[in-house]
Amino acid sequence: MNSGKRDEDRISAVREALVRHRCDALVCAQPRHVLMLSGHWPVVGNAWAVATKDGRVLLIVPEDELEPATTGWADAVYTFRAVSLDRLESALVAVREPLGKALEVAGAETIAYEAEGSLEPSTYVSQFNYGAAGPAVLHDLAPRARLFDADAWLARLRVRKTRAELEHMRTVATVARAAYEQGVAAIRPGLTERDVASAFEAAFESGIPGDARGRAFFYCMSGANAAESNRAYQRTRSRRIERGDVVIVHCNSVIGGFWTDLTRTYVLGKESELVIRLEAIAAARAAAIAHVAPGVEARAVDAAARAVLEAYGFGPEFRTPTGHGVGFAAIDHDELPRLHPISKDVLEAGMTFNIEPGCYRRGLYGMRHGDMIAVAPEGCEVLSPFQTEPAALVI
């Protein structure tokens, strides 16, 4: 029997989706969906979860993953041996027997499944991905079942976090806050970007509660390097920090499969002309947060931040959308809601995302302030309420 507390809100949401789409079961192998359906965050990516319209949850994991799997709420856990000395076969072969048993127990005549690939956060140093072979296995193991593409409504299920999921996100944001408050002491002239990123990561690691699985990816970019922080990936280098520099510290942290996407920008010296941009970004952040509420168009939040930076004269330097969905993944610009100038998404209670207005000028500087936000029934909750004023960011 699993020891985890059942997330009845999540189980109900999945059941309602199955009934609405006239399916008997939802079968998933992407780690974020296995987590959402069962409460278990897969380690190497070859686990499956089966959720039925009568509320049962069945989990299929490699034998080595049985212990962490028991912290979820699956009604039954089936295991397979991914590696053995008497057989040489891939997980795709080894999983067939227990997955077949789970499908038989589920007794589903109509099965919803993941049909397309996705951006998946890393859970371990290497990660298995069934890809197109996953649906093919379902066809083989349940030849009489009708299979339906569930990608669109899986995206909808991910959007609205349950009360338990929001509590997980508060936890990881709280640990990240402590890391920022401790790590800022490492930002001083003479240290390298790597020194700073390492200090922040160490502070986060020390704050992970108990034996929870978690880690943080901190990136430090200073001076002209910070101007590249709006690119598709962040990069820490060996540059030494100097007086007068702008220093961006970006964080994607995870505990138990729930992620943050946070950024703070520090300026070394009150005399720096860049302090005015800190003030403009802070004002843009406040304007965006003030617009967050159920029923508000996501593009209105983006417009609020953009209008402030334009009023300060920095509009052309705001080269990115204001934010995107965060929770089961860290950086996926397609995750709802998309806070983009032409987005048609509408905010709903339970949505979680980042708000990250910024200024970027190639070869000179890059600055942004990234917060984690949850849409509340009558407004919003800032999950990362720390170092919000420009005075707290000037060293």
Side-chain angles (χ1 to χ4, degrees):
M1 178 65 69
N2 280 2
S3 60
K5 182 178 180 181
R6 286 169 64 88
D7 187 344
E8 297 295 349
D9 293 336
R10 176 53 67 193
I11 293 169
S12 294
V14 172
R15 290 183 66 187
E16 289 170 6
L18 285 167
V19 171
R20 184 167 59 253
H21 293 279
R22 299 180 180 179
C23 289
D24 298 321
L26 174 59
V27 182
C28 295
Q30 293 176 14
R32 59 179 171 175
H33 293 152
V34 174
L35 170 64
M36 181 173 67
L37 297 182
S38 72
H40 167 56
W41 183 34
V43 179
V44 295
N46 52 12
W48 291 75
V50 179
T52 68
K53 68 178 180 182
D54 61 5
R56 287 177 296 161
V57 178
L58 312 174
L59 190 59
I60 303 93
V61 301
E63 286 182 351
D64 292 347
E65 206 166 299
L66 180 58
E67 181 182 356
T70 61
T71 62
W73 60 76
D75 298 288
V77 180
Y78 302 84
T79 64
F80 61 94
R81 184 174 297 179
V83 178
S84 70
L85 293 178
D86 59 346
R87 292 181 299 174
L88 187 60
E89 58 190 18
S90 71
L92 192 61
V93 174
V95 77
R96 292 176 67 92
E97 181 179 350
L99 179 57
K101 288 181 180 178
L103 293 174
E104 184 178 350
V105 169
E109 296 181 359
T110 54
I111 297 174
Y113 69 103
E114 303 154 322
E116 299 178 359
S118 70
L119 190 154
E120 192 70 38
S122 177
T123 57
Y124 195 61
V125 66
S126 63
Q127 183 173 320
F128 186 86
N129 187 333
Y130 285 98
V137 169
L138 293 179
H139 279 285
D140 289 344
L141 296 178
R144 297 182 180 180
R146 297 189 302 276
L147 303 183
F148 295 89
D149 177 346
D151 287 322
W153 48 282
L154 274 167
R156 291 296 310 164
L157 280 170
R158 292 195 306 268
V159 162
R160 299 186 68 168
K161 308 303 183 296
T162 67
R163 288 171 292 182
E165 290 163 354
L166 282 171
E167 193 57 38
H168 283 300
M169 295 191 66
R170 292 186 187 103
T171 295
V172 66
T174 297
V175 177
R177 172 180 184 161
Y180 270 98
E181 292 175 343
Q182 296 173 43
V184 67
I187 302 177
R188 57 182 185 271
L191 294 186
T192 67
E193 293 176 2
R194 290 197 177 105
D195 293 331
V196 172
S198 295
F200 277 76
E201 287 185 5
F204 184 92
E205 294 283 341
S206 68
I208 296 174
D211 293 326
R213 287 171 52 212
R215 71 158 303 176
F217 300 84
F218 274 95
Y219 304 91
C220 176
M221 295 148 283
S222 63
N225 289 346
E228 300 180 16
S229 60
N230 67 327
R231 293 189 172 184
Y233 63 91
Q234 309 297 292
R235 183 180 177 189
T236 299
R237 309 188 200 193
S238 59
R239 182 183 182 276
R240 292 193 180 277
I241 294 170
E242 301 174 1
R243 191 68 183 168
D245 270 350
V246 60
V247 180
I248 277 187
V249 178
H250 175 78
C251 168
N252 294 121
S253 57
V254 60
I255 296 176
F258 293 91
W259 290 83
T260 67
D261 187 2
L262 298 166
T263 309
R264 295 294 183 266
T265 300
Y266 305 94
V267 173
L268 272 68
K270 295 180 180 179
E271 68 281 0
S272 173
E273 62 181 18
L274 296 176
V275 171
I276 185 62
R277 283 176 172 78
L278 283 183
E279 296 171 355
I281 290 169
R285 166 195 180 271
I289 290 173
H291 275 71
V292 173
V296 173
E297 291 185 327
R299 61 185 175 186
V301 180
D302 177 274
R306 210 165 293 280
V308 170
L309 287 172
E310 288 173 354
Y312 271 86
F314 305 141
E317 297 183 9
F318 188 14
R319 303 173 183 274
T320 66
T322 297
H324 54 80
V326 182
F328 290 105
I331 303 179
D332 183 349
H333 293 279
D334 292 326
E335 190 76 353
L336 306 178
R338 297 158 297 183
L339 278 60
H340 186 283
I342 61 172
S343 173
K344 295 182 180 180
D345 302 335
V346 177
L347 301 187
E348 303 171 28
M351 283 183 165
T352 54
F353 51 89
N354 66 341
I355 282 179
E356 50 179 0
C359 296
Y360 308 92
R361 192 166 178 183
R362 186 63 55 83
L364 293 177
Y365 52 78
M367 309 173 70
R368 71 170 172 270
H369 191 101
D371 275 308
M372 286 295 304
I373 304 295
V375 183
E378 297 181 356
C380 81
E381 176 186 356
V382 180
L383 302 179
S384 50
F386 63 92
Q387 297 176 353
T388 57
E389 298 300 322
L393 299 166
V394 178
I395 299 173

